[in-house]
Amino acid sequence: MLFRSELHAAGGVHGTLSLDALRREPPPPGGPERSGPVRLLQFPLAGDPHVEPLRPAADDEGFARLGRRAAYVAPELAAGQAVCDELSDVYAIGAILHALLAGEPPHGDAGGLTAVRAAARVGPPQLPDAVPRPLRDVAARLLSTDRSLRLPSAREAAGAIAAAVGLDRKSTRLNSSHA
């Protein structure tokens, strides 16, 4: 099992982060209903980033194959020359956060290249005012179309999210498992 930030520390990237890549395990016996740990799945199904860089097919057909997962793809990957890296995974973490807070991924369930182009053209969508300002600020930073404004690592993204909801970063943990 790898912690999500350890994957990046080892030089790897996930490349296909989305809500579809997360699974909540059953709660411990006698525990609250929604208290099971959340697991990150689907790695290494994306391929070995040390052998060949992960790069989605930057055409309508390639993004159509991604379906609703395209809403979690960093906008720079639509250009076709960019490769998945830690900052594209950080963008996907922001898209997951947005989906959890707004009930839908950034730019809705448009899917395909439409969602990625909308992200590049108009930037991150606003979260509802009911979402506390610290969470809105973290989500906006993670979803920035300017890569230099994103938090630089999954570890820092997790820490910023934990701080925004008042959790001690050291007490939070999200494992990944090989699917």
Side-chain angles (χ1 to χ4, degrees):
M1 304 272 192
L2 293 173
F3 291 107
R4 69 213 172 283
S5 56
E6 289 176 359
L7 175 64
H8 286 171
V13 296
H14 190 280
T16 59
L17 290 173
S18 72
L19 281 177
D20 291 341
L22 301 177
R23 294 290 180 266
R24 181 181 295 279
E25 291 189 356
E33 181 180 331
R34 298 181 65 153
S35 65
V38 175
R39 301 279 180 187
L40 175 60
L41 307 174
Q42 297 178 343
F43 183 80
L45 296 180
D48 185 350
H50 299 291
V51 175
E52 184 171 325
L54 296 171
R55 180 178 290 134
D59 58 21
D60 289 330
E61 183 180 325
F63 278 97
R65 283 193 304 271
L66 289 174
R68 67 183 183 188
R69 290 178 298 149
Y72 303 88
V73 173
E76 63 269 13
L77 296 176
Q81 299 304 315
V83 296
C84 295
D85 62 8
E86 191 167 2
L87 287 176
S88 56
D89 276 356
V90 167
Y91 180 92
I93 292 168
I96 290 169
L97 178 62
H98 184 280
L100 293 172
L101 295 171
E104 65 179 14
H107 308 290
D109 281 322
L113 194 52
T114 304
V116 181
R117 285 182 177 152
R121 190 176 54 255
V122 300
Q126 295 295 315
L127 284 165
D129 289 341
V131 174
R133 169 60 68 192
L135 277 173
R136 286 186 286 165
D137 292 345
V138 169
R141 184 155 184 211
L142 297 176
L143 290 169
S144 177
T145 56
D146 180 346
R147 292 169 46 90
S148 69
L149 297 178
R150 290 183 204 152
L151 291 170
S153 70
R155 182 176 302 279
E156 289 189 42
I161 294 167
V165 297
L167 294 176
D168 174 16
R169 168 65 175 103
K170 292 182 178 152
S171 69
T172 61
R173 178 178 107 142
L174 179 64
N175 293 326
S176 72
S177 63
H178 300 287

